[in-house]
Amino acid sequence: MGQGPSQPKITAQDRAILQLKRQRDNLKQYQRRLAVIVEKQHNLAKQAIADGKTDKAKFYLRLRKQQELTINKTYEQLGNLENLIGTIEFKLIEKDVVYGLTQGNEVLKKLNSEMSVDKIDKVLDDLEDERVKVDEVSDMLGMGLLSYSEENEVDEELAALEREIAPKEEVKKPKEDVKLPDAPTNVPEAEPEELPEVEEAQREERTALPA
């Protein structure tokens, strides 16, 4: 069976923050217990006054006052713990940010070293050397630029070829088509057919004539 995902490593900072949060939670629970006691002492003082026991009521009120002072101190301790926890967590975030900036700076330095001005100049020089070599090879093969007089000779040869080809193109022109008269568009009317009674009478007349 494959191994499961690795558990995140717990650092000393994580343990310290966890311990501080536990102390904070314990103080909150202690505050809630003191609040219950204060409320109970307040009710006992009221009952003692109702029973006419003033000294006993004053005793309960003293205890209640002490518990309230303790609660106020726990609030101060809670505030200090919350500030300490927040400071530690923020410092850890700052540490991560500084680490990220350090890594980014190293990458930037590496890129700058790879794209230094000297290297760029060397690449441009190499390209210029290759271009010069190509020009030299072209000159050796006679593929360099023509002079002004040579360009004029080329233009004259082109014009002579155009004059030579022009008469042949005129001979090859197709003859014009003979235009034929248009066909009639009127349709002749059909002769009316003879009625069956007329044809029958004509046959009888031919039969009655002597042979």
Side-chain angles (χ1 to χ4, degrees), residues 153-167:
E153 292 177 359
V154 171
D155 292 337
E156 291 176 359
E157 291 179 5
L158 178 62
L161 288 175
E162 290 177 347
R163 289 192 298 271
E164 181 180 350
I165 295 172

Side-chain angles (χ1 to χ4, degrees), residues 100-157:
L101 292 174
T102 303
Q103 294 297 108
N105 189 36
E106 293 298 325
V107 174
L108 185 59
K109 287 180 180 179
K110 185 177 179 181
L111 291 175
N112 287 332
S113 64
E114 293 177 356
M115 297 293 294
S116 63
V117 176
D118 295 337
K119 288 186 177 181
I120 295 174
D121 290 339
K122 186 177 183 305
V123 171
L124 293 176
D125 292 339
D126 293 341
L127 289 174
E128 181 64 21
D129 293 341
E130 294 300 324
R131 188 187 65 81
V132 171
K133 291 178 182 179
V134 171
D135 292 341
E136 291 177 353
V137 172
S138 298
D139 293 338
M140 293 174 62
L141 295 175
M143 298 174 62
L145 297 176
L146 298 178
S147 63
Y148 180 75
S149 60
E150 291 170 340
E151 287 290 346
N152 288 336
E153 292 177 359
V154 171
D155 292 337
E156 291 176 359
E157 291 179 5

Side-chain angles (χ1 to χ4, degrees), residues 23-205:
Q23 293 179 4
R24 178 198 61 190
D25 295 338
N26 291 335
L27 276 175
K28 288 182 178 180
Q29 292 178 1
Y30 183 58
Q31 280 181 339
R32 288 192 291 269
R33 288 197 300 268
L34 287 178
V36 173
I37 293 173
V38 167
E39 183 65 22
K40 184 177 180 180
Q41 290 170 346
H42 178 72
N43 293 331
L44 290 173
K46 288 173 63 177
Q47 184 64 40
I49 292 173
D51 295 339
K53 300 177 181 179
T54 306
D55 294 339
K56 192 173 183 179
K58 194 173 183 179
F59 172 76
Y60 287 132
L61 291 175
R62 286 196 186 101
L63 292 176
R64 178 174 176 271
K65 189 65 176 178
Q66 291 176 354
Q67 300 299 333
E68 288 177 348
L69 292 174
T70 304
I71 290 175
N72 291 333
K73 290 180 181 179
T74 58
Y75 275 118
E76 294 178 1
Q77 295 298 324
L78 274 176
N80 294 332
L81 284 175
E82 292 287 356
N83 291 333
L84 184 57
I85 293 171
T87 302
I88 294 175
E89 289 178 341
F90 182 74
K91 287 298 180 181
L92 290 175
I93 294 173
E94 280 187 337
K95 179 183 176 182
D96 293 338
V97 172
V98 171
Y99 178 76
L101 292 174
T102 303
Q103 294 297 108
N105 189 36
E106 293 298 325
V107 174
L108 185 59
K109 287 180 180 179
K110 185 177 179 181
L111 291 175
N112 287 332
S113 64
E114 293 177 356
M115 297 293 294
S116 63
V117 176
D118 295 337
K119 288 186 177 181
I120 295 174
D121 290 339
K122 186 177 183 305
V123 171
L124 293 176
D125 292 339
D126 293 341
L127 289 174
E128 181 64 21
D129 293 341
E130 294 300 324
R131 188 187 65 81
V132 171
K133 291 178 182 179
V134 171
D135 292 341
E136 291 177 353
V137 172
S138 298
D139 293 338
M140 293 174 62
L141 295 175
M143 298 174 62
L145 297 176
L146 298 178
S147 63
Y148 180 75
S149 60
E150 291 170 340
E151 287 290 346
N152 288 336
E153 292 177 359
V154 171
D155 292 337
E156 291 176 359
E157 291 179 5
L158 178 62
L161 288 175
E162 290 177 347
R163 289 192 298 271
E164 181 180 350
I165 295 172
K168 294 180 180 180
E169 290 182 350
E170 291 178 358
V171 172
K172 292 179 180 179
K173 287 184 179 179
K175 296 181 180 180
E176 295 182 357
D177 297 334
V178 179
K179 188 174 182 181
L180 299 175
D182 297 334
T185 57
N186 296 330
V187 180
E189 296 181 358
E191 294 182 359
E193 297 181 357
E194 294 183 354
L195 298 174
E197 294 81 357
V198 176
E199 292 179 355
E200 184 63 26
Q202 290 177 354
R203 284 197 297 271
E204 291 177 355
E205 291 181 355

